[in-house]
Amino acid sequence: MHKIQEWNPKIFTLSHIPEKYHLFVSKFIRRVVIARMAESPDLASVYHLKLRDAYDMEDKLKDSNILKQSEEQLVRLLDEVEMQLSNSAYLAGEQFTLADAMLIPILAHIMLLNLEDEYIGSRPKISEYWNKVKHRPSYRKVIGRYFVGWRKYRTLSKTFCFICIRTVLRRY
């Protein structure tokens, strides 16, 4: 669980999103933070930290060493998971545990980014595990319902339209 928590999926995820979409959303987030800062001057210091984090993230995305480290850390994590799954059905034994619940969002991110063949499909135990997890009722109810088939595009397009409308109306 600690190894899963050590990895920051944000850098990996943002590095695999087309730059024009990332810049559009990043600009929107900065506008929202600035608008909230103007609305609540007493919380300006907190919003200023969020704004600084947004700029820091953009700088990290420009640094190829950080992107490479993030990807290498993911590969190491997945290799360790593959090794663990060769000994048991789930990460911490034969029962589904919190460690498994922490790994599922990472695998879902990989699937959502259409990188499933590269990171999951190349590891047979993780691929088998992922197929088993996708058939769990809890997965179907929480994640699968929004990110499988056409619903994936529906969810993403709703989010994109929401951001566009708020940008046009300047309602941050």
Side-chain angles (χ1 to χ4, degrees):
M1 286 177 21
H2 295 292
K3 291 179 182 178
I4 293 171
Q5 284 180 327
E6 287 174 5
W7 182 65
N8 182 2
K10 190 172 188 177
I11 294 171
F12 178 80
T13 303
L14 291 175
S15 69
H16 286 85
I17 294 175
E19 190 173 354
K20 66 179 183 177
Y21 300 126
H22 165 68
L23 292 176
F24 179 77
V25 173
S26 177
K27 187 176 179 182
F28 176 77
I29 289 171
R30 287 194 311 267
R31 286 180 178 168
V32 169
V33 170
I34 291 169
R36 298 289 183 263
M37 201 182 307
E39 288 175 4
S40 305
D42 53 326
L43 296 174
S45 61
V46 175
Y47 286 122
H48 184 68
L49 290 174
K50 287 186 177 280
L51 195 57
R52 185 181 303 150
D53 287 343
Y55 283 115
D56 287 346
M57 184 56 68
E58 286 184 28
D59 290 340
K60 287 179 183 178
L61 289 172
K62 292 176 185 172
D63 187 354
S64 62
N65 289 332
I66 292 175
L67 298 176
K68 187 176 177 183
Q69 286 174 354
S70 177
E71 189 165 350
E72 287 172 354
Q73 194 174 5
L74 173 64
V75 168
R76 280 194 308 271
L77 175 68
L78 292 175
D79 288 342
E80 288 181 34
V81 167
E82 178 75 14
M83 190 171 60
Q84 182 64 32
L85 289 173
S86 65
N87 299 328
S88 61
Y90 293 100
L91 288 179
E94 299 303 317
Q95 297 289 324
F96 189 85
T97 62
L98 185 58
D100 297 297
M102 290 177 67
L103 181 64
I104 289 171
I106 292 173
L107 298 176
H109 269 95
I110 291 170
M111 183 189 71
L112 191 60
L113 293 169
N114 292 326
L115 298 171
E116 197 169 2
D117 292 337
E118 183 179 346
Y119 291 99
I120 297 172
S122 63
R123 294 170 175 84
K125 293 292 182 182
I126 293 179
S127 182
E128 180 183 318
Y129 169 81
W130 182 233
N131 287 329
K132 185 179 358 175
V133 165
K134 286 193 292 188
H135 289 92
R136 290 179 56 87
S138 58
Y139 175 85
R140 279 192 241 136
K141 187 173 185 176
V142 176
I143 296 174
R145 158 176 159 183
Y146 298 104
F147 296 109
V148 174
W150 65 272
R151 290 183 176 171
K152 169 179 150 181
Y153 300 107
R154 180 177 165 217
T155 303
L156 294 174
S157 62
K158 266 175 59 175
T159 304
F160 184 72
C161 289
F162 178 71
I163 290 173
C164 288
I165 291 169
R166 286 185 67 175
T167 300
V168 168
L169 298 176
R170 298 201 180 276
R171 292 280 189 164
Y172 307 113

